[in-house]
Amino acid sequence: AQSVTQLDSQVPVFEEAPVELRCNYSSSVSVYLFWYVQYPNQGLQLLLKYLSGSTLVKGINGFEAEFNKSQTSFHLRKPSVHISDTAEYFCAVSERKNNNDMRFGAGTRLTVKP
Amino acid sequence: DARVTQTPRHKVTEMGQEVTMRCQPILGHNTVFWYRQTMMQGLELLAYFRNRAPLDDSGMPKDRFSAEMPDATLATLKIQPSEPRDSAVYFCASGRGSVNTEAFFGQGTRLTVV
């Protein structure tokens, strides 16, 4: 079955600095990839997804991610973060043939400091 | 503004009691997921349904957990009897189509079993 590893459990950054949240996946078949954000006491909200086509995916709130098949990675980036970006970020993967079985990483807590 | 609705938002119960969590998926969505989130295990897929039929509940402890969809507008997750280790946030999510490319999450039910 597919799995996801988020390499950093916590990432502290200063406001207006760039940030990269790392995600690596494992699967023997083709996959769909997702990034979700969770604000305190809220459910998860989709930031962006890679289904096919261009490997650079742009999402909401200025985030983007790049699918790298050779490195099995899907890192999330933002060139300049805001205080309001402080949240938990989850990378997720599902196999194309069984795409209802979506597996999530352990999450990365992004803390943006003033 | 279509969204997944979960009730109750919070539940505190004593060990041994039955707990029922409810979810109203977004109208028109035909896939429903149940996830459990804990600090130790992160987000775990418990079960999912397509067109009200259970497709996979392998992530769910069968002896005490049960999930059903009495109709297209209601999904339930029951725990009987509940145990302290069941304390977690339970999320319901819904999606549509035969190819699931996004899951819309509810705000979750925070369950505490004492």
Side-chain angles (χ1 to χ4, degrees):
Chain A
Q2 71 277 30
S3 65
V4 175
T5 301
Q6 290 184 244
L7 297 161
D8 307 296
S9 59
Q10 297 186 58
V11 173
V13 294
F14 287 104
E15 194 173 18
E16 298 184 4
V19 71
E20 179 180 81
L21 306 184
R22 297 181 292 170
C23 171
N24 285 90
Y25 69 92
S26 173
S27 176
S28 58
V29 299
S30 296
V31 298
Y32 297 137
L33 293 157
F34 308 81
W35 274 99
Y36 282 83
V37 60
Q38 184 180 28
Y39 299 104
N41 300 313
Q42 298 291 320
L44 279 70
Q45 177 185 0
L46 183 71
L47 271 180
L48 48 78
K49 59 188 176 186
Y50 171 77
L51 305 180
S52 64
S54 173
T55 57
L56 182 63
V57 180
K58 294 189 184 298
I60 62 172
N61 300 342
F63 283 93
E64 64 180 31
E66 186 156 19
F67 170 55
N68 188 319
K69 188 175 181 179
S70 62
Q71 296 186 5
T72 60
S73 68
F74 191 55
H75 301 331
L76 180 71
R77 291 189 279 262
K78 186 170 181 177
S80 175
V81 294
H82 302 290
I83 299 286
S84 59
D85 292 323
T86 295
E88 189 93 16
Y89 291 80
F90 293 91
C91 183
V93 62
S94 64
E95 295 181 347
R96 287 174 183 251
K97 286 190 175 182
N98 182 20
N99 59 85
N100 289 302
D101 187 1
M102 185 180 293
R103 300 295 172 124
F104 286 83
T108 296
R109 172 154 294 280
L110 174 65
T111 303
V112 181
K113 305 175 184 178
Chain B
D1 184 24
R3 55 181 168 177
V4 176
T5 303
Q6 289 186 248
T7 56
R9 289 293 311 278
H10 303 274
K11 176 73 176 178
V12 180
T13 191
E14 291 185 347
M15 184 173 63
Q17 296 297 305
E18 177 179 299
V19 174
T20 299
M21 291 169 272
R22 293 178 174 79
C23 167
Q24 181 176 359
I26 293 173
L27 190 64
H29 283 191
N30 62 345
T31 308
V32 173
F33 308 83
W34 283 104
Y35 286 90
R36 176 171 62 185
Q37 186 178 38
T38 61
M39 289 292 292
M40 295 299 295
Q41 301 295 328
L43 270 164
E44 304 171 273
L45 178 65
L46 297 176
Y48 64 88
F49 293 74
R50 166 71 55 75
N51 296 325
R52 296 176 56 199
L55 290 191
D56 188 346
D57 60 3
S58 58
M60 210 163 61
K62 299 293 190 305
D63 56 338
R64 299 182 299 109
F65 284 60
S66 62
E68 296 179 344
M69 280 200 75
D71 60 60
T73 64
L74 177 64
T76 61
L77 180 66
K78 289 186 182 180
I79 309 174
Q80 168 63 14
S82 58
E83 297 180 1
R85 59 180 168 150
D86 301 328
S87 297
V89 181
Y90 291 81
F91 286 104
C92 173
S94 69
R96 64 181 170 191
S98 58
V99 178
N100 182 43
T101 58
E102 180 176 355
F104 292 80
F105 281 76
Q107 291 187 297
T109 294
R110 181 175 294 277
L111 173 65
T112 304
V113 183
V114 298

